[in-house]
Amino acid sequence: MEEKKSEINGHAGHKSRLPAVSIKSENNSFKDRLMVFFKRNLLVILTVSGVLVGVGLGMMVRNMNLTRAQMTYFAFPGEMLLRMLKMIILPLVVCSLISGAASLDTRSLGKLGGIAVSYFLVTTLIASSIGVALAFIIKPGVGAGALNTNNLGLEGVSSNKETADSFLDLARNLFPSNLVAAAFRSVPYGTDADGMNILGLVLFAMVFGVALRKLGAEGEELIRFFNAFNEATMVLVSWIMWYVPFGIMFLVGSKIVEMEDVVLLVTSLGKYIFASILGHVIHGGIVLPLIYFGFTRANPFSFLSGLITPFTTAFATCSSSATLPTMMKCVEENNGVDKRISRFILPIGATVNMDGAAIFQCVAAVFIAQLNNVELNAGQIFTILVTATASSVGAAGIPAGGIITIAIILEAIGLPTHDLSLMLAVDWIVDRTTTVVNVEGDALGAGILHHINEQEMKKRREREQHQEEQELQEVKVEVVANVKAEEETSPLVTHQNHGDSSSHETLDKDGVESVL
């Protein structure tokens, strides 16, 4: 009885110890999971923290009345980040596009290129429509007629540029007369100006990649060189990315310190800022994810969650070109997009796809029309949509790059350009959400193309498998027919079959092997 009791007690004791062990193991597993999460998302956490610390630091330093020299020192780490990112753009764009175009056969390249261009044009046109619609609903310029550049102490911005000349300059940029000069010069206003002509470099790199592919064996050496160059550039990008949180902190902080009278700007142009940012939220949070879901039937937000670092970089730098290195790395590593797709589509997207810019340009055009009490007719609205979609192709992927293209739109609909300085005054606010939407459109475009490519590959594999099965079936039928013919003519085989019926079954089953 005592033994039984002790057994029961022992059993009970064992049972009571079990939950403690399981709780301990659960705690350990939770800690492990937490550590794995932190290790995997350390860069994202540091980058977001950098932005938040930068805002706090900027607010603190703003009240210290720094001299111009002290301001320069404070902004220096942020300036270094921008310089690093810009330094890597040229080798990254050229090498990734050459290796991307060379790795795809001409038929695939044409198909993917066609889908990409269609996606970029359609999304930009939708973005322009959202911008115009919101500007007419919110009416940011109504009641702001008394507002002018002098009220805010701003200098006027003038432009005597014809719309046709602007589009001719776009064509000139596509075919640079000097490739070396294109690395640091473009043609924005009919004369050479500082700033990389990325559009010309993109076109040249794509065509050069196709030419290398056509060379066959002779071009293999050069393709391998550009592939290796590209991989080395991506290693440099991974090193730069660890400096991003520190650089972003001072980049954001210095922008907050440099701000003029924010309250006056926000009260004067609050409706314009609200209309632009609301357009970005609608397009980036609803329209683009819906398009992605429509193509892939996958959750767009789980795709976007892997891109927090490039989005934070875009928010801080206001440059889609400067965000390209981090975007390329995160799209490939976090979202598993094929390197050939990402390295082909993202450099083009950073140059051509400007959804966020199209929204704020359309809002700005309608805002300036309302400011000057000009009633826009249907023809002018259509001109705004088409011009904004077309001119966003040539918009520079740099801070305030979209302001130049607003001048083109205003000229196209016959409005004065002297109010453009109002846009410049608040551009540092609007340009942040603009750049985030621009790079989001590029990333989701890469995801859609990757999905389409995967589906095509799957179909091709299934077709090839089906063909192989059909060929095997035909071979089997032929072999069985030959065996039956031999059975009829050879008495020896017939005798064997009577003796051992199982060998005949094996013949029918194994087909080719059994006959051989």
Side-chain angles (χ1 to χ4, degrees):
M1 190 75 180
E2 275 180 44
E3 277 176 28
K4 211 170 189 183
K5 235 181 202 178
S6 66
E7 269 178 33
I8 292 163
N9 290 342
H11 186 62
H14 180 64
K15 251 191 170 178
S16 65
R17 277 198 301 273
L18 258 173
V21 173
S22 63
I23 288 164
K24 202 173 183 183
S25 64
E26 273 177 26
N27 285 341
N28 285 343
S29 65
F30 176 72
K31 276 181 186 174
D32 291 342
R33 282 203 301 271
L34 201 65
M35 286 303 290
V36 167
F37 173 79
F38 271 114
K39 277 182 184 174
R40 192 177 292 162
N41 299 292
L42 181 62
L43 193 62
V44 175
I45 294 161
L46 286 173
T47 309
V48 174
S49 306
V51 172
L52 298 174
V53 172
V55 171
L57 197 64
M59 292 294 185
M60 279 167 53
V61 174
R62 191 173 161 78
N63 303 320
M64 291 167 68
N65 299 323
L66 299 181
T67 63
R68 187 173 288 276
Q70 288 169 332
M71 279 284 295
T72 309
Y73 303 147
F74 182 68
F76 186 72
E79 186 192 338
M80 284 296 101
L81 173 66
L82 273 177
R83 292 179 82 87
M84 283 181 204
L85 289 169
K86 285 177 181 175
M87 169 191 75
I88 213 81
I89 290 168
L90 180 64
L92 190 69
V93 167
V94 173
C95 296
S96 65
L97 266 174
I98 289 173
S99 61
S103 63
L104 296 163
D105 60 88
T106 318
R107 193 171 148 214
S108 299
L109 190 70
K111 192 175 180 182
L112 288 172
I115 294 166
V117 169
S118 308
Y119 166 79
F120 291 152
L121 284 175
V122 169
T123 52
T124 309
L125 198 58
I126 292 168
S128 304
S129 309
I130 290 169
V132 169
L134 282 174
F136 277 106
I137 292 164
I138 295 169
K139 295 182 168 55
V142 173
L147 184 70
N148 58 46
T149 53
N150 298 329
N151 290 24
L152 298 173
L154 303 168
E155 293 176 16
V157 176
S158 61
S159 168
N160 54 357
K161 177 91 166 165
E162 290 293 325
T163 311
D165 288 345
S166 301
F167 286 105
L168 286 175
D169 285 346
L170 182 64
R172 288 186 188 109
N173 276 332
L174 273 171
F175 301 98
S177 56
N178 185 336
L179 271 176
V180 178
F184 51 87
R185 227 171 235 180
S186 58
V187 192
Y189 277 107
T191 55
D192 287 347
D194 288 341
M196 193 189 301
N197 176 10
I198 205 159
L199 204 61
L201 293 170
V202 160
L203 185 70
F204 170 78
M206 272 173 59
V207 176
F208 192 68
V210 173
L212 283 178
R213 173 91 184 186
K214 285 281 181 192
L215 276 177
E218 287 178 14
E220 284 296 321
E221 288 295 323
L222 207 48
I223 290 169
R224 274 203 296 274
F225 165 77
F226 281 112
N227 283 338
F229 203 129
N230 198 19
E231 291 303 326
T233 311
M234 292 308 286
V235 172
L236 288 178
V237 169
S238 66
W239 293 345
I240 291 170
M241 277 174 76
W242 286 105
Y243 180 74
V244 166
F246 183 73
I248 273 181
M249 184 168 70
F250 287 95
L251 202 63
V252 172
S254 62
K255 282 289 169 193
I256 287 170
V257 175
E258 284 169 14
M259 288 187 311
E260 299 297 327
D261 193 344
V262 185
V263 178
L264 177 64
L265 278 179
V266 170
T267 48
S268 308
L269 298 165
K271 281 166 92 177
Y272 163 72
I273 296 165
F274 174 71
S276 299
I277 292 174
L278 182 63
H280 293 148
V281 169
I282 291 168
H283 190 71
I286 300 167
V287 176
L288 289 176
L290 275 177
I291 292 170
Y292 178 83
F293 178 76
F295 275 98
T296 63
R297 291 289 182 272
N299 184 356
F301 297 104
S302 65
F303 182 89
L304 294 173
S305 65
L307 305 172
I308 294 169
T309 303
F311 290 154
T312 315
T313 310
F315 185 82
T317 60
C318 298
S319 169
S320 48
S321 297
T323 311
L324 181 62
T326 53
M327 176 59 79
M328 210 175 270
K329 191 161 182 62
C330 289
V331 158
E332 289 168 14
E333 290 183 4
N334 299 350
N335 292 329
V337 172
D338 190 338
K339 284 181 180 181
R340 293 172 301 171
I341 303 289
S342 64
R343 291 176 188 189
F344 168 68
I345 204 69
L346 288 175
I348 299 171
T351 315
V352 172
N353 187 34
M354 299 282 177
D355 295 355
I359 290 170
F360 101 86
Q361 284 161 15
C362 290
V363 172
V366 178
F367 167 74
I368 288 170
Q370 290 169 350
L371 202 65
N372 291 284
N373 298 316
V374 175
E375 285 288 327
L376 295 172
N377 57 38
Q380 285 173 313
I381 292 166
F382 179 74
T383 307
I384 289 173
L385 289 173
V386 173
T387 315
T389 305
S391 62
S392 66
V393 171
I398 55 168
I403 296 292
I404 297 161
T405 50
I406 298 174
I408 299 170
I409 297 167
L410 294 176
E411 288 289 346
I413 56 173
L415 283 174
T417 56
H418 57 77
D419 289 321
L420 268 179
S421 55
L422 293 172
M423 309 296 97
L424 272 172
V426 292
D427 189 65
W428 62 270
I429 302 172
V430 177
D431 207 14
R432 298 186 186 282
T433 50
T434 297
T435 312
V436 171
V437 174
N438 286 347
V439 299
E440 183 194 348
D442 301 343
L444 289 175
I448 289 167
L449 277 178
H450 174 70
H451 175 77
I452 292 168
N453 189 50
E454 288 284 298
Q455 294 296 102
E456 285 290 319
M457 296 268 280
K458 198 177 174 184
K459 280 179 190 171
R460 195 183 293 174
R461 277 197 297 269
E462 282 173 4
R463 276 201 302 270
E464 284 171 4
Q465 203 174 344
H466 185 63
Q467 279 176 355
E468 280 175 17
E469 281 173 8
Q470 274 187 330
E471 283 170 13
L472 274 171
Q473 201 67 35
E474 284 169 17
V475 169
K476 255 184 196 177
V477 169
E478 281 174 27
V479 167
V480 171
N482 290 341
V483 169
K484 283 184 178 173
E486 276 181 29
E487 281 175 3
E488 286 169 15
T489 52
S490 171
L492 183 64
V493 174
T494 312
H495 179 69
Q496 258 185 336
N497 285 346
H498 283 305
D500 184 12
S501 61
S502 64
S503 65
H504 178 65
E505 283 171 26
T506 324
L507 255 164
D508 277 351
K509 244 184 235 175
D510 293 355
V512 184
E513 288 81 6
S514 62
V515 171
L516 288 170

